[in-house]
Amino acid sequence: MKTKYWTIVVLALLTAMMSVAPASAKPVTVKGKVTAKEDGSVIIGCSVLIKGTRNGTLTDTDGKYAISANTGDTLVFSYIGCITQEKTVKSAKLNVVLQESPEALKESMVTGYTVGESVEDVSSEEIRIMYVPVRQELPSEEYNEIVENGFMKVKDTPLSTFSIDVDAAAYGNMRRYLNKGQLPPADAVRTEELINYFSYDYAKPTGDAPVKITTEVGACPWNPVHRLVRIGLKAREIPTENLPVSNLVFLIDVSGSMYGAERLDLVKSSLKLLVNNLRDKDRVAIVVYSGAAGERLPSTSGSDKQKIKDAIDELEAGGSTAGGAGIELAYKIARKNFVPGGNNRIILCTDGDFNVGISSGKALEKLIEKERKTGVFLTVLGYGMGNYKDGKMQVLAEKGNGNHAYIDNLQEANRVLVNEFGATMHTVAKDVKLQVEFNPAQVQAYRLIGYESRLLQDEDFNNDAKDAGEMGVGHTVTAFYEVIPAGVESDYAGKVDELKYQKPEKTVPVSLSKELLTVKLRYKQPDGDSSKRIEITLVDDKANKVSVDFHFASAVAMFGQLLRDSDYKGTATYDKIISLAKTGLGKDAKGYKREFIRLVEIAKGLDKE
């Protein structure tokens, strides 16, 4: 009887406890979308964290998230440049609108996880970054030295020749530095890559040519007595469904240096975005390397997306870095599955920290120069911080008929691999070179802004054996020349004594010509060996009627020079950059231009400190 009595008592107590259990304990899968208040655009990569726990996730490419929580829990929504919001879970649906805040940029929450995964490596409290103005590399990072272009006298050097550069890696890397509270080292700032991060509204090519040239000239914002010439290139656009068949090889660095949320975890999330974009006729193979290289997935149809994603999910980091062996194996597999007339491309994901086998810059350069003759192109995606080897990444991209992007977050991965899929993955013109001839009757001196690593000898322009840059579907390329008009006094032009033993030959200007310059362009078809030439002239009407894009691009150019502390920055200031960029906002559907202004504001604060 006693046993039965106590059983009844216990059951009664349990029933009472359940009846008074708070509703907040009810498990629920919370789903929603995070958007920006300013323009309603979705926010990709927004951190969603259950306050007081280690559980969190990120919003996907549609700004959506899903997280397991309990009613009554508090969700913390944070994104760089926006005001952090806390929302109480009341139902299974919770949409959030974030508002921009320059102050929020100074205190950003560090997150270490990928989409759909719980947080395992951050504390339950927000980790705040103290912004310290340090103009130096992070430990073990390597950058090639940049010797800035100076002014060239037209009478001595009338021609300027260079390879185009479609890369934008320096922009993502610069953003990473600023978001971590540091000014980037000068050699990490390739000004042309900052400018070319943005697409501009250039006229589209017509006829057979895959590229069209556009020119524009106005007053130089940082030196008003000078003129600023903008040369723009626009590549042919092709609808995604009409793009050639892709034979892709994902070459993934899984060495120990790639361990972590900002490295291999981000690589996985990035490549899965690309897999979602594949068509059934496209194919993907996966090669990995650490101490040695191996094929993780044979060439697989884009129709079997889950199989490809599963292979990506299984990757783990550990060991040394045999990058050279990985590159050789990836080219071998790409050749094995080669598609004539198709897009045969290796996508290398690495921090560039090669330390086994072929690892030096020169050795990698020779390897890539040999392999590029196979018709296989190379896209280099850089990841990580602290040991990032930018110099080696540049060698691979420049010598491998490819392009180079730095992926610092999932939003950037979405931009490169989804929004600009054609431009990143499909080449429409290769070995694209520019040569500009200046008219001495109109121009005293000039300097090319950026492109220091892309300069060519004048005779290289007509040499089809000389390698140059590639342009992808819909790509735009911009180059700026700062010009000192004839008759304008300037210390930048410089002076030399008259020669003692010979008299210099005098250039006889074509005085009747009002042309400022002539732009010549050479390109080859992706599978061709002979180049074709396009030519256009520019007349300066001395006015300042320039486009909205001119204003914005020149603001970016000014920012690059200020970050580099250029000898030619003139009257450039952060406030002038911000003001000029705002006048050039125009259409900014993705918010990249507004983000640029926020980055300038950060740099301004760091420089003051």
Side-chain angles (χ1 to χ4, degrees):
M1 291 294 293
K2 287 183 178 180
T3 302
K4 184 175 181 182
Y5 170 79
W6 284 112
T7 300
I8 294 171
V9 170
V10 169
L11 288 172
L13 288 171
L14 288 173
T15 302
M17 290 172 64
M18 291 176 64
S19 66
V20 298
S24 60
K26 182 181 178 181
V28 62
T29 298
V30 185
K31 296 182 180 181
K33 179 185 287 189
V34 181
T35 55
K37 181 178 180 180
E38 286 69 26
D39 56 9
S41 60
V42 299
I43 296 180
I44 302 169
C46 174
S47 164
V48 184
L49 182 71
I50 300 176
K51 191 173 183 178
T53 75
R54 296 185 176 187
N55 299 322
T57 187
L58 299 175
T59 54
D60 63 16
T61 55
D62 295 318
K64 297 179 180 179
Y65 73 94
I67 188 168
S68 297
N70 293 320
T71 53
D73 283 348
T74 299
L75 297 186
V76 181
F77 296 82
S78 59
Y79 186 75
I80 291 174
C82 295
I83 299 172
T84 298
Q85 286 197 32
E86 296 186 2
K87 297 287 186 180
T88 302
V89 176
K90 297 179 180 179
S91 65
K93 185 175 182 181
L94 180 56
N95 294 327
V96 174
V97 178
L98 295 184
Q99 184 175 357
E100 288 184 5
S101 170
E103 291 302 314
L105 286 163
K106 297 179 182 178
E107 293 188 340
S108 301
M109 180 176 170
V110 177
T111 56
Y113 46 90
T114 54
V115 175
E117 298 178 350
S118 62
V119 184
E120 299 294 344
D121 52 357
V122 295
S123 67
S124 59
E125 296 181 359
E126 294 181 353
I127 303 172
R128 299 294 180 180
I129 302 172
M130 295 302 295
Y131 278 76
V132 181
V134 181
R135 191 179 285 274
Q136 62 182 24
E137 300 103 10
L138 292 169
S140 300
E141 299 212 347
E142 295 178 2
Y143 299 93
N144 293 333
E145 182 183 5
I146 297 176
V147 180
E148 189 176 29
N149 293 329
F151 278 96
M152 309 296 290
K153 290 185 177 180
V154 175
K155 67 176 184 179
D156 299 326
T157 312
L159 296 175
S160 173
T161 310
F162 64 99
S163 162
I164 60 103
D165 183 2
V166 299
D167 297 342
Y171 188 93
N173 195 28
M174 172 272 296
R175 175 176 58 205
R176 185 252 302 189
Y177 267 95
L178 293 179
N179 284 338
K180 294 295 183 184
Q182 295 183 350
L183 292 170
D187 289 334
V189 180
R190 292 184 290 274
T191 304
E192 78 278 6
E193 294 190 17
L194 269 58
I195 297 168
N196 285 324
Y197 181 83
F198 303 93
S199 295
Y200 303 103
D201 189 19
Y202 294 132
K204 299 176 183 179
T206 56
D208 296 332
V211 183
K212 184 175 179 63
I213 310 171
T214 300
T215 57
E216 193 175 13
V217 59
C220 180
W222 55 89
N223 199 330
V225 297
H226 293 177
R227 304 293 283 170
L228 190 63
V229 174
R230 183 174 74 137
I231 299 172
L233 307 181
K234 172 71 174 180
R236 179 185 295 124
E237 296 180 351
I238 302 175
T240 301
E241 60 271 17
N242 295 336
L243 291 173
V245 175
S246 286
N247 159 39
L248 304 178
V249 178
F250 293 169
L251 176 56
I252 305 170
D253 181 351
V254 293
S255 63
S257 66
M258 286 293 288
Y259 178 80
E262 294 179 317
R263 295 175 175 83
L264 186 56
D265 289 348
L266 185 55
V267 169
K268 293 179 181 181
S269 298
S270 303
L271 292 180
K272 283 188 281 187
L273 290 177
L274 174 56
V275 171
N276 289 336
N277 220 36
L278 295 177
R279 301 160 299 181
D280 291 352
K281 60 184 179 181
D282 299 325
R283 302 189 67 83
V284 171
I286 298 178
V287 173
V288 298
Y289 64 90
S290 53
E295 184 180 37
R296 184 60 61 90
L297 178 73
S299 186
T300 301
S301 168
S303 62
D304 201 349
K305 292 180 174 58
Q306 193 56 50
K307 182 178 181 180
I308 302 171
K309 290 180 181 180
D310 288 344
I312 293 172
D313 281 332
E314 292 171 359
L315 301 179
E316 295 181 353
S320 52
T321 316
I327 291 171
E328 289 180 310
L329 179 58
Y331 272 104
K332 180 180 179 180
I333 292 173
R335 292 195 302 270
K336 177 183 176 182
N337 300 290
F338 193 87
V339 178
N343 173 38
N344 300 280
R345 184 175 297 269
I346 294 169
I347 302 171
L348 169 61
C349 303
T350 180
D351 58 11
D353 191 12
F354 303 159
N355 51 38
V356 174
I358 298 174
S359 59
S360 70
K362 284 293 182 184
L364 288 169
E365 184 175 333
K366 288 182 179 179
L367 171 62
I368 293 296
E369 285 180 339
K370 179 188 75 172
E371 296 289 1
R372 76 181 180 213
K373 297 175 183 177
T374 63
V376 177
F377 292 80
L378 177 68
T379 291
V380 181
L381 303 180
Y383 292 82
M385 56 173 290
N387 64 327
Y388 184 60
K389 311 302 182 186
D390 180 83
K392 289 179 181 177
M393 310 288 267
Q394 281 294 103
V395 168
L396 294 171
E398 290 181 12
K399 303 301 179 182
N401 281 352
N403 42 37
H404 176 202
Y406 180 80
I407 309 298
D408 56 332
N409 56 46
L410 194 62
Q411 184 179 12
E412 182 66 8
N414 185 67
R415 186 189 78 88
V416 172
L417 299 176
V418 178
N419 294 342
E420 298 183 5
F421 175 77
T424 303
M425 299 296 162
H426 292 266
T427 299
V428 296
K430 71 176 184 179
D431 291 340
V432 182
K433 312 169 190 173
L434 279 172
Q435 187 170 77
V436 181
E437 180 181 354
F438 293 88
N439 180 3
Q442 303 292 333
V443 180
Q444 176 186 172
Y446 64 87
R447 75 178 185 98
L448 175 61
I449 299 173
Y451 293 93
E452 284 85 1
S453 67
R454 304 283 184 156
L455 299 179
L456 299 173
Q457 298 295 321
D458 292 339
E459 56 269 25
D460 291 339
F461 182 71
N462 293 316
N463 181 2
D464 281 352
K466 189 67 178 180
D467 182 57
E470 280 64 47
M471 291 190 71
V473 172
H475 245 145
T476 62
V477 174
T478 299
F480 277 112
Y481 281 95
E482 183 178 352
V483 169
I484 303 176
V488 172
E489 291 189 11
S490 175
D491 294 334
Y492 287 127
K495 296 179 181 179
V496 296
D497 294 336
E498 290 187 7
L499 298 178
K500 180 178 180 180
Y501 301 107
Q502 60 178 311
K503 295 295 181 184
E505 295 182 7
K506 292 185 178 180
T507 302
V508 181
V510 185
S511 57
L512 296 179
S513 175
K514 294 183 179 180
E515 294 173 1
L516 189 72
L517 53 83
T518 296
V519 182
K520 295 175 285 183
L521 178 144
R522 281 197 176 276
Y523 70 91
K524 297 175 187 171
Q525 296 293 341
D527 56 354
D529 296 318
S530 300
S531 67
K532 295 184 179 180
R533 172 174 147 163
I534 305 172
E535 184 175 305
I536 189 173
T537 60
L538 172 64
V539 174
D540 187 1
D541 61 4
K542 313 301 182 185
N544 197 33
K545 297 178 181 178
V546 294
S547 66
V548 170
D549 277 350
F550 186 101
H551 287 305
F552 186 84
S554 60
V556 180
M558 192 170 9
F559 185 51
Q561 293 173 96
L562 208 52
L563 287 178
R564 289 187 51 77
D565 194 23
S566 167
D567 291 336
Y568 308 102
K569 63 182 181 293
T571 61
T573 65
Y574 292 108
D575 286 336
K576 184 177 289 188
I577 294 167
I578 292 169
S579 176
L580 188 60
K582 287 181 176 178
T583 66
L585 277 176
K587 296 178 181 178
D588 187 28
K590 301 295 182 181
Y592 299 139
K593 293 181 178 179
R594 288 180 175 83
E595 180 193 47
F596 169 76
I597 294 172
R598 291 198 298 268
L599 292 174
V600 179
E601 290 170 344
I602 295 175
K604 177 184 175 182
L606 293 174
D607 233 359
K608 282 183 179 180
E609 294 179 28

